[in-house]
Amino acid sequence: MKNRFFKKKYLALIIVLVVCFSCIKDTDFDQATPITLTPIMEVNLVEIQETSPSFLDSSGTEMPFISDLIVLDVLSSDFFNDNLIKAELVFQVTNSLNKAFQIKMDFYDLADMLQHSFSIDIDNSPSHTFLVTEHTEVFEAMSLAALKASIKLDITITLVSNATSSVLTDDSDGSIALTSKGIFYLEFTQ
């Protein structure tokens, strides 16, 4: 009986030693494959809705344009600038005014230098039905660098006269609405 206990003890010791010495191997963590994450973020950017009185001065005369300046806080973060690889800004404009418009988007940097610009032409709606215009501006390569440098967006809505449009008054029916979202493609590696 003592002999069996002694054999089991030695057998267990031999197994432990074999396992300990045979499983030890240097591990080189520098050979680990980096993990790359590529999330896509969708963010609402700008919403504007204007009626005819917005385009009139105090005497009731049409103004040639209106504009609004928006600070782009999300673009100024280091994380965003370091990891953004592509961006798409999607604009949807709904017009029910009997007036055509041109919407100009100007992106400026901290020194008020123009970085990027584009325009969207909007048809008039003689019957005051909702006319929808969509535009997608894609930012890659040089235009992406311009977007990353931008901290302000100046939106200018200019009235455009044509043969079927009317002069706007306080009583003109309809409105013009702009909604937009940004689709941001990020990539970071750990």
Side-chain angles (χ1 to χ4, degrees):
M1 183 150 192
K2 216 176 192 189
N3 198 10
R4 259 195 212 169
F5 179 72
F6 187 71
K7 285 182 183 179
K8 284 184 183 180
K9 206 175 193 183
Y10 275 120
L11 183 60
L13 180 63
I14 291 172
I15 291 174
V16 168
L17 290 174
V18 168
V19 169
C20 286
F21 287 109
S22 65
C23 292
I24 294 178
K25 193 179 216 185
D26 291 335
T27 304
D28 185 6
F29 288 105
D30 292 332
Q31 293 179 353
T33 305
I35 297 173
T36 301
L37 301 175
T38 55
I40 299 172
M41 294 175 40
E42 286 192 23
V43 178
N44 289 333
L45 291 178
V46 178
E47 288 187 27
I48 299 172
Q49 182 157 357
E50 302 292 346
T51 57
S52 58
S54 300
F55 298 96
L56 305 176
D57 63 16
S58 58
S59 66
T61 305
E62 280 185 352
M63 295 186 296
F65 66 89
I66 61 172
S67 66
D68 194 9
L69 186 68
I70 297 163
V71 177
L72 302 170
D73 288 331
V74 71
L75 296 178
S76 62
S77 75
D78 289 337
F79 174 80
F80 199 78
N81 274 309
D82 293 343
N83 299 301
L84 183 65
I85 58 170
K86 180 181 174 183
E88 296 175 3
L89 302 184
V90 181
F91 297 89
Q92 182 177 11
V93 182
T94 305
N95 184 21
S96 61
L97 288 167
N98 189 12
K99 196 69 167 184
F101 297 93
Q102 182 185 64
I103 300 177
K104 188 174 181 196
M105 307 287 180
D106 294 323
F107 294 82
Y108 292 95
D109 65 10
L110 191 59
D112 287 330
M113 298 291 296
L114 182 64
Q115 295 295 312
H116 186 79
S117 185
F118 64 92
S119 297
I120 306 169
D121 294 323
I122 311 300
D123 291 331
N124 66 310
S125 179
S127 61
H128 302 290
T129 57
F130 294 108
L131 299 178
V132 177
T133 304
E134 292 186 2
H135 177 83
T136 301
E137 190 75 6
V138 178
F139 293 87
E140 294 178 297
M142 294 301 292
S143 62
L144 182 62
L147 180 66
K148 287 179 177 183
S150 300
I151 64 158
K152 293 184 266 186
L153 170 60
D154 186 19
I155 302 173
T156 304
I157 304 174
T158 304
L159 281 73
V160 177
S161 294
N162 63 25
T164 59
S165 66
S166 61
V167 175
L168 294 177
T169 66
D170 277 330
D171 299 325
S172 295
D173 290 332
S175 66
I176 183 168
L178 176 134
T179 58
S180 65
K181 70 177 177 180
I183 304 170
F184 300 107
Y185 299 83
L186 302 169
E187 179 178 276
F188 47 94
T189 303
Q190 284 289 4

